[in-house]
Amino acid sequence: MTDKSEKIESVADLIGDNFLELAKMLRELQDGDPDTFFPVVDRLGLSQRKAYYLVKIDRTFRSLPIPAERLRAIGWTKLQLIAPHVTPETWAELIELAETRTVHQLEAILRGEETGDKEHCVLLYLSEVQYEVFRRAVLAHGGLDVKGSLKRREEALTAALSKVLATLPSRN
């Protein structure tokens, strides 16, 4: 086995709970052997975006006095969200936010928006026909289609459902 294929195989074993180790190895590859970086990323089945997020996580958090177990418990998704905002002055507060908030709440906080502590997640599996009805209702009630992604859908769906509910007889 060549050194490069051994590196690829050893990195492949690090996906999952060992994302911090994977992040470190990817950063080391990017810095020390950039020709190997993309073959490793491809072999792992990672998107380039996720690979860059992992590298950013290692660059951001490796020198901070945060136990690896704490970072693992937070997870790579939240860490990549807060990484661009981490400074020596802000890291402790951001880590606490990441530990206590959902990804959705964390995204809103980082955008400077208010978050409700009692939010509910609704996951829908819609057929093509159902999704088209959903999409049209969202767009008709204030939602936006931004490059194929529906924005402001929560507010728009609530507006649409409120209209329907207003037509129903009250149930006292």
Side-chain angles (χ1 to χ4, degrees), residues 88-129:
E89 296 78 31
T90 63
W91 72 264
E93 179 184 354
L94 289 168
I95 289 293
E96 185 176 332
L97 280 174
E99 289 174 320
T100 59
R101 301 300 180 123
T102 67
V103 170
H104 182 71
Q105 290 170 329
L106 193 55
E107 287 173 325
I109 290 167
L110 294 173
R111 285 192 306 265
E113 298 172 4
E114 294 286 324
T115 64
D117 288 335
K118 300 238 180 194
E119 294 182 319
H120 301 276
C121 177
V122 177
L123 176 64
L124 302 171
Y125 291 97
L126 304 174
S127 69
E128 289 292 323
V129 171

Side-chain angles (χ1 to χ4, degrees), residues 32-128:
D33 190 2
D35 292 339
T36 302
F37 183 75
F38 289 115
V40 167
V41 169
D42 290 340
R43 176 70 191 263
L44 292 171
L46 293 176
S47 68
Q48 288 184 10
R49 178 180 293 179
K50 184 172 181 179
Y52 283 127
Y53 286 154
L54 290 169
V55 168
K56 177 70 173 170
I57 286 168
D58 187 69
R59 289 190 198 288
T60 302
F61 296 101
R62 70 179 173 184
S63 63
L64 295 174
I66 307 167
E69 301 79 37
R70 196 171 174 195
L71 295 174
R72 274 191 201 91
I74 291 169
W76 78 268
T77 303
K78 289 181 183 179
L79 291 176
Q80 65 87 16
L81 284 174
I82 65 172
H85 306 276
V86 169
T87 67
E89 296 78 31
T90 63
W91 72 264
E93 179 184 354
L94 289 168
I95 289 293
E96 185 176 332
L97 280 174
E99 289 174 320
T100 59
R101 301 300 180 123
T102 67
V103 170
H104 182 71
Q105 290 170 329
L106 193 55
E107 287 173 325
I109 290 167
L110 294 173
R111 285 192 306 265
E113 298 172 4
E114 294 286 324
T115 64
D117 288 335
K118 300 238 180 194
E119 294 182 319
H120 301 276
C121 177
V122 177
L123 176 64
L124 302 171
Y125 291 97
L126 304 174
S127 69
E128 289 292 323

Side-chain angles (χ1 to χ4, degrees), residues 126-145:
L126 304 174
S127 69
E128 289 292 323
V129 171
Q130 291 168 324
Y131 182 76
E132 185 56 26
V133 170
F134 174 80
R135 185 179 132 336
R136 289 178 56 207
V138 166
L139 295 175
H141 291 87
L144 301 171
D145 186 336

